[in-house]
PDB file of all heavy atoms in Angstrom:
ATOM      1  N   LYS G 114       4.393  -4.776  10.926  1.00 98.00           N
ATOM      2  CA  LYS G 114       5.283  -5.785  11.312  1.00 98.00           C
ATOM      3  C   LYS G 114       5.984  -5.456  12.583  1.00 98.00           C
ATOM      4  O   LYS G 114       6.353  -6.256  13.420  1.00 98.00           O
ATOM      5  CB  LYS G 114       6.252  -6.062  10.142  1.00 98.00           C
ATOM      6  CG  LYS G 114       7.125  -7.284  10.436  1.00 98.00           C
ATOM      7  CD  LYS G 114       7.738  -7.802   9.203  1.00 98.00           C
ATOM      8  CE  LYS G 114       8.628  -9.084   9.460  1.00 98.00           C
ATOM      9  NZ  LYS G 114       8.952  -9.392  10.818  1.00 98.00           N
ATOM     10  N   ALA G 143      -0.286  -7.104   8.743  1.00 98.00           N
ATOM     11  CA  ALA G 143       1.076  -7.315   8.910  1.00 98.00           C
ATOM     12  C   ALA G 143       1.496  -7.824  10.316  1.00 98.00           C
ATOM     13  O   ALA G 143       2.539  -7.917  10.753  1.00 98.00           O
ATOM     14  CB  ALA G 143       1.875  -6.180   8.435  1.00 98.00           C
ATOM     15  N   LEU G 158     -13.123  12.319  14.986  1.00 98.00           N
ATOM     16  CA  LEU G 158     -13.318  13.788  14.598  1.00 98.00           C
ATOM     17  C   LEU G 158     -14.607  13.938  13.835  1.00 98.00           C
ATOM     18  O   LEU G 158     -15.338  14.996  14.023  1.00 98.00           O
ATOM     19  CB  LEU G 158     -12.086  14.188  13.769  1.00 98.00           C
ATOM     20  CG  LEU G 158     -12.117  15.622  13.229  1.00 98.00           C
ATOM     21  CD1 LEU G 158     -12.286  16.633  14.369  1.00 98.00           C
ATOM     22  CD2 LEU G 158     -10.969  16.012  12.400  1.00 98.00           C
ATOM     23  N   GLY G 172     -29.791  24.306  18.802  1.00 97.00           N
ATOM     24  CA  GLY G 172     -29.754  25.208  19.904  1.00 97.00           C
ATOM     25  C   GLY G 172     -29.474  24.408  21.273  1.00 97.00           C
ATOM     26  O   GLY G 172     -29.872  24.879  22.338  1.00 97.00           O
ATOM     27  N   ALA G 236      -4.714  25.760   5.806  1.00 93.00           N
ATOM     28  CA  ALA G 236      -4.033  24.677   6.166  1.00 93.00           C
ATOM     29  C   ALA G 236      -4.999  23.538   6.691  1.00 93.00           C
ATOM     30  O   ALA G 236      -6.215  24.050   7.174  1.00 93.00           O
ATOM     31  CB  ALA G 236      -3.048  24.957   7.336  1.00 93.00           C
ATOM     32  N   LEU G 298     -29.468  -2.216  16.880  1.00 98.00           N
ATOM     33  CA  LEU G 298     -30.079  -0.954  16.489  1.00 98.00           C
ATOM     34  C   LEU G 298     -30.930  -1.284  15.198  1.00 98.00           C
ATOM     35  O   LEU G 298     -30.435  -2.000  14.217  1.00 98.00           O
ATOM     36  CB  LEU G 298     -28.992   0.086  16.148  1.00 98.00           C
ATOM     37  CG  LEU G 298     -28.049   0.424  17.340  1.00 98.00           C
ATOM     38  CD1 LEU G 298     -27.072   1.512  16.829  1.00 98.00           C
ATOM     39  CD2 LEU G 298     -28.919   1.046  18.319  1.00 98.00           C
TER      40      LEU G 298
END
Side-chain angles (χ1 to χ4, degrees):
K114 180 160 188 346
L158 181 54
L298 300 178

